[in-house]
Amino acid sequence: MANRDLHGGLPGPQGGDIGGLLAEVLADMPDAQLHGLEGIARLRDIPRGGVVVTEGGRPDEIGYLIHGALGMQKQLPDGRVHIIGLLVPTDMYGRLFDGPAAYDIVALTDARVLAFPRDAFERILVSSPEIERRFLVNVLDELDSAREWILLMGGHKIVERLASFLLILLRRMLRGGRHRVPGAPIMVRIPIRRVDLAHYLGTTPESVSRALHELEGQGLVRLRDAYEIEIADLPGLVRVSGADHLGAERAG
Amino acid sequence: MANRDLHGGLPGPQGGDIGGLLAEVLADMPDAQLHGLEGIARLRDIPRGGVVVTEGGRPDEIGYLIHGALGMQKQLPDGRVHIIGLLVPTDMYGRLFDGPAAYDIVALTDARVLAFPRDAFERILVSSPEIERRFLVNVLDELDSAREWILLMGGHKIVERLASFLLILLRRMLRGGRHRVPGAPIMVRIPIRRVDLAHYLGTTPESVSRALHELEGQGLVRLRDAYEIEIADLPGLVRVSGADHLGAERAG
DNA sequence: CGAAAACATTGACGGTGGTCAATGCTTGAC
DNA sequence: GTCAAGCATTGACCACCGTCAATGTTTTCG
């Protein structure tokens, strides 16, 4: 069942145009720098459930996610799992100049990543201020995402959290290049299973299901199937989310 | 009432040894670099409730917290407040190479900060790879704190969250130089009021109070007063917290 | 010192959501 | 096609916590 199409399909059987992918992931980077990276990049496919980085292990690669979804998750002593970060395409993972990873990174869907050996990546980073600055900005972005997530987790009611989640997802999709067609309905694809989403929102699959169908009952969204969500009333959804999430509106 | 001693007292009426503070905050930084920064540093006292950075405004300074506690907080449209980050001494605030702030930063207690004008700081950063690398590590640390916090917010029961909070606080205190005296009881000072703590844990002052006294009832902590907490049973507290928080134990 | 203000705590009550269990639905294998 | 596995959904029950209100406690100020 790992082949279930949660990730929207891979572009081709291999689609191995590394240079093109690099340019896409690291937009506005001078070509000269890109070529240095291209030499050491490696394309890797990971089946759902596959572990990319293990907690406690010293990750030996830095990577950019091309397709699918990765989750940064932590196993609690009592068996529960909590997902503390979701990676969608163009997001980066891996640690630099730093100790062991504090959490696992696992593939929540079949995924494809563009990976760099850690040491080589660090060498290039040190020798090239542009890339290092770029990387710094990446980390600052991640920090923003994390803070955004903390804010989301502060919403007490699950419906709030779920609405926030959908809006964050929407904004990230829009950021990722695709633009809204004025007339067409706004669609969001939840890239992960209910269990994972529940772990992510700090709740249970049951509650996620209920919340989702409550939003549908209020006419704010429509469920094509369990994963394809149509946003029927964006301002309404924003209102329910509690936070402002103006970014989602501006980005439209 | 702004003079209530939540922050452990300031070292002196002015205590303005900027060089010494810098060396403390930026440990393991070559002296040459420190002198460049010393010239532009400015010591600033902020009363409780004072706003350090305003959401949406372009922060014009970068600072390190010397004493007290700062909160990064967001005002929700419905009037609720949510604190998404707590800054304790040696933590850094401010944004570089970047847009407007996404949240307010306010003083939760009377506080003292070591501030740098943003542009001058950026100039020094660009011209000095050591400091830039150092700054990058700072940001990575912040990212860790944020993730840790997300994990904490995942704990469903308030007692769990509170236990995690105490452990995080304990570890940060230990990191800050002070070491445990083997015989003496482990003391943690909650640096902020109940309301702020509640906003921070995503709950209410009432629930915080209840949770705290429940921990006391279980013999895990003892309350000297509302702010001075004695950790009576560290392993027990770790167990309740759900997460592992091994750092707190190792650091002892 | 006495009064008022700011906080913390405690109590009662109702709603949200976690838990356990049963039922549907979809996919993939034979 | 049928069957089984993997998920999603729905329902019932009850613990936990948010809310409102009252009481204690500490600090501040006249």
Side-chain angles (χ1 to χ4, degrees):
Chain A
M1 191 147 300
N3 282 333
R4 191 182 209 149
D5 184 17
L6 286 181
H7 50 288
L10 294 178
Q14 199 31 257
D17 173 16
I18 292 190
L21 288 174
L22 252 178
E24 198 175 314
V25 163
L26 291 176
D28 69 7
M29 179 66 62
D31 280 357
Q33 311 298 343
L34 280 183
H35 279 82
L37 285 174
E38 187 169 354
I40 62 172
R42 201 162 63 87
L43 210 50
R44 202 150 71 85
D45 283 333
I46 301 158
R48 194 182 76 183
V51 178
V52 183
V53 173
T54 307
E55 173 183 352
R58 201 174 163 73
D60 55 350
E61 73 175 32
I62 307 295
Y64 284 86
L65 180 61
I66 304 297
H67 274 284
L70 303 182
M72 315 184 319
Q73 66 182 31
K74 190 127 183 157
Q75 191 87 25
L76 300 187
D78 60 10
R80 284 182 305 178
V81 173
H82 195 217
I83 298 187
I84 59 179
L86 182 67
L87 301 176
V88 298
T90 80
D91 281 342
M92 202 205 66
Y93 66 87
R95 301 188 65 95
L96 287 168
F97 311 120
D98 222 351
Y103 31 76
D104 294 334
I105 297 186
V106 304
L108 300 180
T109 70
D110 292 347
R112 171 170 293 175
V113 300
L114 189 58
F116 307 88
R118 180 191 162 108
D119 48 359
F121 193 83
E122 284 187 356
R123 265 198 304 278
I124 291 190
L125 215 67
V126 169
S127 72
S128 160
E130 285 96 345
I131 299 193
E132 175 151 16
R133 178 76 36 82
R134 168 74 197 206
F135 178 72
L136 178 57
V137 171
N138 267 341
V139 175
L140 285 171
D141 283 347
E142 272 195 79
L143 191 55
D144 276 343
S145 299
R147 296 252 160 78
E148 191 172 48
W149 200 255
I150 294 181
L151 193 60
L152 181 155
M153 293 294 290
H156 308 149
K157 300 206 272 186
I158 304 290
V159 205
E160 279 179 43
R161 299 192 193 182
L162 185 60
S164 296
F165 174 76
L166 290 176
L167 291 172
I168 290 178
L169 218 54
L170 177 61
R171 189 174 46 198
R172 288 215 193 170
M173 277 184 41
L174 293 172
R175 180 201 70 180
R178 268 148 294 184
H179 288 290
R180 259 178 70 189
V181 187
I186 316 175
M187 297 294 305
V188 172
R189 164 178 284 271
I190 298 179
I192 55 179
R193 295 173 309 163
R194 290 287 186 275
V195 206
D196 293 321
L197 180 51
H199 288 154
Y200 197 35
L201 297 179
T203 181
T204 63
E206 293 94 328
S207 293
V208 170
S209 187
R210 278 189 260 267
L212 207 38
H213 287 270
E214 181 177 333
L215 286 180
E216 187 173 36
Q218 295 179 16
L220 302 181
V221 304
R222 197 162 319 166
L223 283 74
R224 296 277 170 91
D225 64 43
Y227 300 94
E228 289 286 349
I229 314 293
E230 176 187 338
I231 310 288
D233 179 358
L234 184 50
L237 202 60
V238 172
R239 190 170 3 88
V240 169
S241 80
D244 47 6
H245 287 289
L246 292 176
E249 288 182 310
R250 273 192 261 108
Chain B
M1 192 148 301
N3 282 333
R4 191 184 209 147
D5 183 18
L6 286 181
H7 49 289
L10 294 179
Q14 198 32 256
D17 173 17
I18 292 189
L21 288 174
L22 252 179
E24 197 175 315
V25 162
L26 292 176
D28 69 9
M29 179 65 64
D31 281 356
Q33 311 298 342
L34 280 183
H35 279 80
L37 285 173
E38 187 169 353
I40 62 173
R42 200 163 62 87
L43 210 50
R44 202 151 70 86
D45 282 335
I46 301 160
R48 193 182 77 183
V51 178
V52 183
V53 173
T54 307
E55 173 182 353
R58 202 176 161 73
D60 55 351
E61 72 174 34
I62 306 296
Y64 283 86
L65 180 60
I66 304 297
H67 274 284
L70 302 181
M72 314 185 320
Q73 65 181 30
K74 191 129 182 157
Q75 192 87 25
L76 300 187
D78 60 9
R80 282 181 306 177
V81 173
H82 195 218
I83 298 186
I84 59 180
L86 183 68
L87 300 177
V88 298
T90 79
D91 281 342
M92 201 205 66
Y93 67 87
R95 300 190 65 95
L96 287 168
F97 312 119
D98 222 353
Y103 31 77
D104 295 334
I105 297 186
V106 304
L108 300 180
T109 70
D110 293 347
R112 171 172 291 175
V113 301
L114 189 59
F116 307 88
R118 180 192 161 107
D119 48 0
F121 193 84
E122 284 187 357
R123 264 197 305 278
I124 290 189
L125 215 66
V126 171
S127 72
S128 160
E130 285 96 345
I131 299 193
E132 176 153 15
R133 178 76 36 82
R134 169 73 198 208
F135 178 72
L136 176 58
V137 171
N138 267 341
V139 176
L140 286 172
D141 283 348
E142 271 195 80
L143 190 56
D144 275 344
S145 299
R147 297 251 160 79
E148 190 172 49
W149 201 255
I150 294 180
L151 193 60
L152 182 155
M153 292 294 289
H156 309 147
K157 300 207 273 186
I158 305 291
V159 205
E160 279 180 41
R161 298 192 193 182
L162 185 60
S164 297
F165 173 77
L166 290 176
L167 292 172
I168 291 179
L169 218 53
L170 177 61
R171 188 173 47 197
R172 287 217 193 170
M173 276 183 42
L174 293 174
R175 180 201 69 180
R178 267 149 297 184
H179 287 290
R180 259 177 70 189
V181 186
I186 316 176
M187 297 295 305
V188 172
R189 164 178 283 271
I190 298 179
I192 56 180
R193 294 175 307 163
R194 289 286 186 274
V195 206
D196 294 321
L197 180 51
H199 288 155
Y200 197 35
L201 297 179
T203 181
T204 63
E206 294 94 329
S207 292
V208 170
S209 187
R210 279 188 259 267
L212 207 37
H213 287 270
E214 182 177 333
L215 287 182
E216 187 172 36
Q218 294 179 18
L220 303 181
V221 305
R222 198 162 318 167
L223 282 75
R224 295 277 170 92
D225 63 43
Y227 299 95
E228 290 287 351
I229 313 294
E230 175 187 339
I231 310 289
D233 179 357
L234 184 51
L237 202 60
V238 172
R239 192 170 2 89
V240 170
S241 80
D244 47 6
H245 286 289
L246 293 176
E249 288 183 310
R250 273 191 261 109

